[in-house]
Amino acid sequence: MITPAGPGSKAGNRATAERWQTLLEQAGHKVSVVTAYNGEACDLFIALHAWRSHEAVRLFRDTWPGKPLVVALTGTDIYRYQYEHPEQTLYSMQTADALIGLHALVGHDIPESVRNKLVTLFQSAEQPGDLTVGAASDSFHFDVCVIGHLRDEKDSLRAALASRLLPFESRVRVFCAGKPHDANWENLAKQETQENPRFRWLGELEKGQTAKLMADSQLLVMSSVMEGGANVVSEACRNGLPVIASDISGNIGLLGEDYAGYYPVGDTQALAEILVRAEGDTEFLEKLRKQVGQLASLFTPEKEQESLEQALSLAVRHSSGRSL
């Protein structure tokens, strides 16, 4: 399995690769996770990221034309690179024997010619531990968390900007955790912390610190403008943490069409209004909590392992048919 993110990286691709390695090894497979591929022999190849891994995909297909290939599609593959870099991205999609999509609407957003190879896989999250969601030490405030690397695709400061529009008496505070994509994003986060008394950027957190941040929050905001299916949404659902999400395919494909916590993507005023509602309307907040709780069973390791095995079986079947 190849991933663009190296060992020790907190990028989503790395976390996904390591989780899949664990799940596949639990199922009896032997898995090597690499960041570079030089044509080594294997029974099956999994590439995370159609565009970033396209050279490895091409080398594998040229070297081992009869072997099964699985390509996992990221948000940038689906919503950016298949248009900006179509030759490489579509090659990976077309040459794969199976594709993995991380939310239920991926099939609407990829070429019809490859939809028969698509397996929908919901990324899993661990069962919550002893931390109780919403049990913050400072019960006066209404704390909102934003979790993910700071970059354009995540629209990472949208909740911070929305918090500037809240009425004076609002108790909302926004805590943002994540590594900045570049110096500009770091400067923006620092500047927002200095200028906005409701906002604090926490930097990149360790796993346990992120879990505590979620437990201390009343709400998670997922503000992305493009998303392949964010694992933090899985974590929120498994922890019973209500989510306010932009109305993009990558969020709707996880939370469902009837989820009550959407706002129009990029709309700061609309996000501010739904934050006010969540803070002041206990019935609304409880409805969101109930909805994420009902979704929690979608995001178990057992379900994810089952979907991985489905993708592997489909790839083997398609590769066998191709080699006949």
Side-chain angles (χ1 to χ4, degrees), residues 40-99:
E40 297 91 341
C42 59
D43 297 312
L44 182 144
F45 192 71
I46 302 176
L48 271 68
H49 212 303
W51 179 67
R52 293 190 189 282
S53 299
H54 79 271
E55 290 181 358
V57 166
R58 192 176 294 275
L59 178 59
F60 175 79
R61 180 52 78 226
D62 290 346
T63 308
W64 308 101
K67 295 283 185 76
L69 168 67
V70 177
V71 173
L73 302 175
T74 66
T76 47
D77 285 330
I78 302 164
Y79 303 110
R80 173 176 294 168
Y81 294 130
Q82 73 164 316
Y83 306 109
E84 292 184 359
H85 302 285
E87 181 184 349
Q88 300 94 330
T89 308
L90 295 176
Y91 172 81
S92 293
M93 290 186 186
Q94 290 160 354
T95 197
D97 296 299
L99 298 171

Side-chain angles (χ1 to χ4, degrees), residues 10-26:
K10 292 185 174 62
N13 283 340
R14 189 72 201 185
T16 298
E18 292 178 354
R19 193 175 63 256
W20 287 2
Q21 179 181 26
T22 298
L23 292 172
L24 289 169
E25 287 177 347
Q26 288 173 353

Side-chain angles (χ1 to χ4, degrees), residues 32 34 44 53 60 80 89 102-103 118 120 130-131 155 162 183 189 201 216 234 237 241 243 259 284 287 293 318:
S32 299
V34 300
L44 182 144
S53 299
F60 175 79
R80 173 176 294 168
T89 308
L102 301 179
H103 68 78
L118 179 66
T120 298
D130 298 330
L131 299 173
D155 198 13
W201 175 48
D216 286 347
S234 309
C237 291
L241 177 62
V243 178
Y259 186 69
F284 176 62
K287 180 178 183 178
H318 279 174

Side-chain angles (χ1 to χ4, degrees), residues 195-229:
E195 296 178 359
N196 184 349
R198 295 189 184 277
F199 177 77
R200 186 181 172 198
W201 175 48
L202 304 174
E204 189 172 32
L205 300 182
E206 296 298 325
K207 190 173 183 180
Q209 295 172 310
T210 301
K212 186 176 189 309
L213 173 62
M214 294 180 76
D216 286 347
S217 300
Q218 278 74 40
L219 207 62
L220 171 85
V221 170
M222 172 50 64
S223 53
S224 299
V225 299
M226 67 173 68
E227 193 65 66

Side-chain angles (χ1 to χ4, degrees), residues 6 63 76-77 92 118 123 140 147 194 235 244 269 277-278:
T63 308
T76 47
D77 285 330
S92 293
L118 179 66
Q123 296 185 89
F140 172 77
I147 298 171
Q194 290 172 350
E235 292 172 359
I244 298 296
Q269 181 63 47
R277 185 180 179 193

